[in-house]
Amino acid sequence: MTTRRAIAPEELDTLNLADPRLHAESDLSAVWRHLREHRPVHWNPPTDTAPGFWVVTRHADVTSVYRSSARFTSEGGNVLETLLAGGDTGAGRMLAITDGERHTGLRRVLMSAFSPRALEPIVESVRRTVNRLLRDALEKGRCDFATDVAAGIPLGAICDLLGVPDRDRAHVLSLTSSALGSHEADSTAVDAWIAKNEILLYFAGLARDRRDSGHSDVIALLAGSEVGGLPLDDDEIILNCYSLILGGDETARLSMAGAALALLDHPDQWQALKCGDAGIGTAVEEILRWTTPALHSGRTATADTEVGGRPVGAGEIVTVWNASANHDEQVFDTPAELRLDRTPNKHVTFAYGPHFCLGAHLARAEIGAVLAGLRDLVAQMEQTGPAKPVYSNFLSGLSALPIALKAA
Ligand code: HEM
């Protein structure tokens, strides 16, 4: 179980939804419910150091913002951290923060590496890794599920995609954690900035080695492709490698650790999974909805417009909250219940529209492998200590989950 202070809707006007501690240490479900019902498009006021921003909470409004990259651009940044800091240097070059034709062209190049067929060998290796990590944990009888199991899975898959050598993987993992979801309440934006720059430098080195080297990984794919009739330059290759590692590692790890916690907290659902009443396919989707590792996405209005009937000015920051949309009563029957056989399940965990997560198939396969591994190899699990949250206004989940487990 996790103990988080429930925030009452009356406290809404004192909250800053950009504060990482708020998301890590409290339960905002009553606030989201209140906003969806009474103030679905809410203005989070400016602070001394950062501008204000719109907070969009209903599923229908969230998907309508996601759908229209002409009205709501990602090029000013797509998360609060960069939007509030005044922009992202990768704009127009990194897939997630590029719009229009260049986005379409770049996405087309990368899609070939992310099709279910292309990913088959990687998914096969994910299954082997999951089984190895679970067997190691079962042998010891206890583990930290977040660091000993979940952390060992997605980065390995992305490193396979990118052709990162084994010897560098632990280093890349520690940089990724510091750059995005902070595991400590007191780590600073400077730590994150340094880690990001170290990742970029690391990929600069790797990209240099890969040009004309006959490799078949994503770095080589980017190096050999053209967008708009021109080859990608080194910066574009590096930035897009970086975006895969940042977009696909911690998010997936958090969903897997969150899956284990969800099963520990809901013994009836653990039984439903074990006896086959809930299949892996629907369980994966429900875990994605339940954990919602990416709390929000951000955009900038390109012209005066409206969202959910509220006027939004040109240049204003608009954030859409997957965490709220995934619990919208208009779309989900009993959204506060974990139901591993839920169908339909129109969650927006991977966003929606033109920027829909490129790694969705891989992430689903990873979570599916963990759920199948737990179902087939583990008879019993028990939480043995407090779970620790990550501190971020963008990522949500656990950096530690100590458990004891017994083999089936
Ligand atoms: C985009 C979530 C796994 C790569 C996105 C977006 C979300 C998201 C919400 C849209 C961002 C926006 O609209 O601004 C997640 C979650 C994951 C996950 C929750 C795991 C549970 C992965 C993996 C990879 C990946 C495994 C790759 C290895 C990307 C890329 C984009 C993206 C490249 C940008 C797509 C575009 O702009 O066209 N992801 N993601 N993600 N994701 Fe994921």
Side-chain angles (χ1 to χ4, degrees):
M1 297 289 284
T2 46
T3 40
R4 303 203 298 168
R5 186 173 87 83
I7 306 275
E10 296 72 50
E11 294 175 66
L12 181 59
D13 290 328
T14 67
L15 303 180
N16 175 8
L17 287 161
D19 178 4
R21 273 180 190 272
L22 178 68
H23 297 280
E25 293 172 357
S26 37
D27 172 3
L28 289 172
S29 29
V31 170
W32 293 131
R33 198 178 316 118
H34 176 85
L35 285 174
R36 283 192 302 274
E37 206 172 316
H38 302 288
R39 221 191 291 175
V41 182
H42 161 71
W43 177 248
N44 191 92
T47 63
D48 292 345
T49 51
F53 54 92
W54 293 103
V55 173
V56 181
T57 58
R58 281 186 184 160
H59 191 282
D61 295 332
V62 165
T63 50
S64 115
V65 170
Y66 269 136
R67 202 180 294 124
S68 177
S69 46
R71 276 198 307 151
F72 302 103
T73 180
S74 300
E75 296 205 347
N78 71 333
V79 288
L80 272 172
E81 189 196 339
T82 48
L83 282 159
L84 297 181
D88 194 315
T89 47
R93 294 181 297 163
M94 197 196 261
L95 185 70
I97 43 174
T98 298
D99 279 320
E101 274 177 36
R102 189 145 190 92
H103 174 257
T104 314
L106 197 51
R107 193 168 163 109
R108 196 174 298 127
V109 168
L110 281 162
M111 289 271 275
S112 61
F114 283 89
S115 69
R117 180 126 181 250
L119 285 170
E120 249 169 53
I122 288 168
V123 168
E124 210 27 66
S125 140
V126 163
R127 289 198 193 106
R128 283 196 301 273
T129 307
V130 168
N131 287 345
R132 176 174 54 78
L133 293 171
L134 284 176
R135 288 211 166 91
D136 288 352
L138 283 163
E139 211 162 285
K140 292 189 191 118
R142 54 186 56 238
C143 69
D144 180 331
F145 198 88
T147 54
D148 298 334
V149 180
I153 302 160
L155 189 74
I158 300 167
C159 288
D160 282 352
L161 271 168
L162 293 171
V164 174
D166 284 347
R167 62 174 183 277
D168 297 343
R169 293 186 180 199
H171 175 59
V172 173
L173 174 71
S174 83
L175 292 178
T176 317
S177 305
S178 325
L180 249 194
S182 173
H183 291 193
E184 301 302 329
D186 56 358
S187 71
T188 64
V190 175
D191 297 331
W193 184 84
I194 293 171
K196 270 181 197 168
N197 281 290
E198 281 192 46
I199 296 175
L200 291 175
L201 276 175
Y202 174 78
F203 280 111
L206 213 55
R208 261 195 311 275
D209 292 349
R210 289 300 148 79
R211 277 210 189 267
D212 311 317
S213 63
H215 284 77
S216 60
D217 50 63
V218 169
I219 301 182
L221 171 77
L222 287 166
S225 300
E226 292 189 346
V227 174
L230 292 172
L232 298 173
D233 63 27
D234 282 358
D235 278 2
E236 285 169 311
I237 297 170
I238 296 162
L239 283 167
N240 282 292
C241 293
Y242 162 79
S243 86
L244 293 186
I245 223 151
L246 290 186
D249 175 40
E250 187 129 17
T251 46
R253 278 201 262 159
L254 294 172
S255 62
M256 292 179 227
L261 182 68
L263 296 174
L264 286 161
D265 284 351
H266 300 84
D268 61 319
Q269 293 301 299
W270 173 222
Q271 279 318 309
L273 185 73
K274 279 198 84 64
C275 72
D277 283 352
I280 297 293
T282 56
V284 167
E285 298 311 311
E286 181 67 343
I287 289 298
L288 284 163
R289 183 188 76 88
W290 190 253
T291 56
T292 316
L295 289 168
H296 75 270
S297 299
R299 302 288 189 261
T300 307
T302 52
D304 288 349
T305 181
E306 60 79 33
V307 180
R310 274 200 87 157
V312 168
E316 286 179 344
I317 297 169
V318 177
T319 56
V320 294
W321 289 80
N322 307 321
S324 173
N326 278 348
H327 282 80
D328 191 332
E329 300 74 4
Q330 301 299 316
V331 175
F332 301 97
D333 195 19
T334 57
E337 276 177 28
L338 176 78
R339 289 190 350 219
L340 295 182
D341 62 351
R342 184 183 290 278
T343 179
N345 194 337
K346 295 182 180 215
H347 65 76
V348 286
T349 299
F350 292 128
Y352 187 83
H355 288 282
F356 181 80
C357 177
L358 191 73
H361 176 76
L362 179 57
R364 286 180 162 125
E366 290 169 348
I367 300 164
V370 166
L371 291 175
L374 288 172
R375 180 194 61 191
D376 300 340
L377 303 177
V378 178
Q380 275 176 36
M381 297 191 282
E382 190 190 330
Q383 192 173 335
T384 52
K388 272 203 219 152
V390 292
Y391 283 80
S392 165
N393 61 23
F394 166 58
L395 290 173
S396 167
L398 306 174
S399 62
L401 177 62
I403 64 166
L405 63 178
K406 284 197 185 130

